[in-house]
Amino acid sequence: YEMLLGLRSLDEVLLDTEVPYLQLIPADNRLAGAEIELVDQPSREYRLSQALEGRTDRWDFILLDTPPSLGLLTVNALTAARSVLIPIQCEYYALEGLSQLLNTIRVVQQGINRDLRVEGVLLTMFDRRLRLSQQVADEAREYFGDAVYDTIIPRNVTLGESPSFGRPVILHDVQSRGAQAYLELAQEVIRREPTRVG
């Protein structure tokens, strides 16, 4: 919130974590208010990219986690990003909002960020016991082809409970199926983009 509104710099809001080489910029409930406060501001969709400008070379990857809505916060992330990782829950209605997201990505590509591309599509909350999960996965692969990651994030109790402990799943229970799936995803992302790391 404070960084988007220009009250504090990136270095002032950046926090180290228990995970080596992982830093984070936390958010709280005030971030929802930023959307309203930025509406009348000039260059409102560039606030995040301006805050990050010239300060990102120290990281191999920067992940911008956006709200599920397609408001100004998401547009700021799409403007600042080089690529988009699209998570799709393997549940009913999962593909419904996808066309709106893809349309927003196209609008951002045409008018604000021509370099933005779809990095990949991640299937999440997959339950192999449910035919619906497999149907959503099949439809996603049919539509996105090779952009769909091989790694699938399963529905997993540990993934659901780790936030209540205030810890990432790899610190909460690294042996869980969910944690192992996210570690596999990280390896797959690195393999797909070897020129960015090293």
Side-chain angles (χ1 to χ4, degrees), residues 102-114:
L102 293 173
N103 186 50
T104 301
I105 290 171
R106 272 190 293 277
V107 168
V108 169
Q109 286 170 325
Q110 291 167 0
I112 302 172
N113 183 355
R114 295 191 184 282

Side-chain angles (χ1 to χ4, degrees), residues 4-5 15 28-29 41 46-47 55 68 71 80 91 102 127 156 158 161 170 172 181 185 198:
L4 278 179
L5 290 176
L15 297 178
D28 60 28
N29 292 338
Q41 299 291 320
Y46 294 97
R47 286 305 188 93
R55 298 181 179 100
E91 296 181 340
L102 293 173
D127 188 338
N156 180 254
T158 308
E161 72 184 12
I170 63 167
H172 178 63
L185 173 65

